[in-house]
Amino acid sequence: MMPAEIREITPEQATWTALVEHLQRVTMARHALVDGAAKPDTYYFGACIDKQVIGHISIRQQPIIVPASPLTDNEALPLQRDHQSLAETFVQTFAVEVDHQRQGYGRALQQAALDLTARLGCYQMRSWSSADKQANYALKLSMGFAVFPALYPMPGGQPISGAYFVKIVYETSESKNATLL
Ligand SMILES: CC(C)(COP(=O)(O)OP(=O)(O)OC[C@H]1O[C@@H](n2cnc3c(N)ncnc32)[C@H](O)[C@@H]1OP(=O)(O)O)[C@@H](O)C(=O)NCCC(=O)NCCS
């Protein structure tokens, strides 16, 4: 059994301070937080051992939007399905501290984030990961994520090589029926 427990952590909880300390140890506080506080529309899960947080994932809920170009009269197009706007979660940050890696916490954190994404009624969970994150690539492939190699346009800088990873969590009526059969 895993000694750490995977829990959603909110700023109101005592564990929030331990999460912030962990984010600082893995140097991800700048990306996971805004001015040291929770980002809007963002959910945080921690891998907790006693009062310590040793791993985390943060995901932001957002609409799925087709980018603007002259083809769309320079208007961004929110994607719809059955006249309903589609949303996704996008992974902001994800890490397990070195001493606790290869014990299944990364996979368990991803699964908790996927489960929440489904509960929120989103269509998919998506992330982008630079080409130097080979452990993360192996983890995502082991969990059946689709992979979309792409350059990431860094604001004001050179694009970075990497890949988007996407997993659908949306249950169609067909897939629900298939589960019932
Ligand atoms: C990516 C990361 C979060 C994985 O966390 P983890 O807790 O070690 O992952 P898990 O133990 O759940 O691994 C699950 C599976 O992923 C794969 N995997 C994970 N790390 C791997 C590695 N270093 N080499 C090869 N495969 C790896 C394996 O298939 C593994 O299953 P197995 O142990 O049964 O073989 C961790 O390596 C990390 O924090 N890296 C630095 C930060 C980072 O890259 N974050 C993501 C992008 S921002």
Side-chain angles (χ1 to χ4, degrees):
M1 206 180 84
M2 294 196 297
E5 192 191 336
I6 309 297
R7 272 193 253 143
E8 187 177 348
I9 301 176
T10 61
E12 295 75 36
Q13 294 169 358
T15 328
W16 180 260
T17 308
L19 172 66
V20 174
E21 287 165 1
H22 156 75
L23 289 170
Q24 286 161 349
R25 283 195 296 277
V26 296
T27 64
M28 290 189 181
R30 193 163 62 88
H31 299 293
L33 307 170
V34 57
D35 296 331
K39 281 185 168 179
D41 303 317
T42 304
Y43 301 85
Y44 302 83
F45 284 90
C48 309
I49 301 179
D50 301 326
K51 292 195 163 68
Q52 282 251 320
V53 174
I54 54 86
H56 85 285
I57 187 167
S58 64
I59 55 172
R60 186 179 71 209
Q61 186 176 8
Q62 61 188 26
I64 304 178
I65 294 178
V66 178
S69 82
L71 181 71
T72 62
D73 294 329
N74 296 313
E75 286 212 22
L77 293 182
L79 210 60
Q80 294 205 330
R81 188 175 197 273
D82 300 333
H83 308 292
Q84 298 240 323
S85 292
L86 284 183
E88 65 180 358
T89 55
F90 199 101
V91 178
Q92 307 293 296
T93 53
F94 171 48
V96 171
E97 292 183 32
V98 175
D99 291 352
H100 300 274
Q101 289 179 3
R102 294 310 286 269
Q103 294 175 54
Y105 298 136
R107 186 181 278 139
L109 286 161
Q110 289 281 334
Q111 192 56 55
L114 285 166
D115 292 346
L116 177 63
T117 302
R119 287 202 302 280
L120 291 169
C122 294
Y123 182 73
Q124 64 186 23
M125 185 167 98
R126 186 158 66 104
S127 59
W128 185 84
S129 185
S130 54
D132 54 341
K133 304 287 191 322
Q134 288 300 312
N136 189 38
Y137 282 29
L139 182 147
K140 291 292 190 341
L141 296 176
S142 83
M143 291 186 73
F145 278 78
V147 57
F148 182 90
L151 291 171
Y152 192 79
M154 293 301 282
Q158 288 282 335
I160 296 186
S161 305
Y164 288 96
F165 292 92
V166 187
K167 194 151 192 191
I168 295 171
V169 298
Y170 184 87
E171 268 195 80
T172 61
S173 48
E174 291 83 4
S175 65
K176 274 185 201 157
N177 288 341
T179 320
L180 292 174
L181 288 176

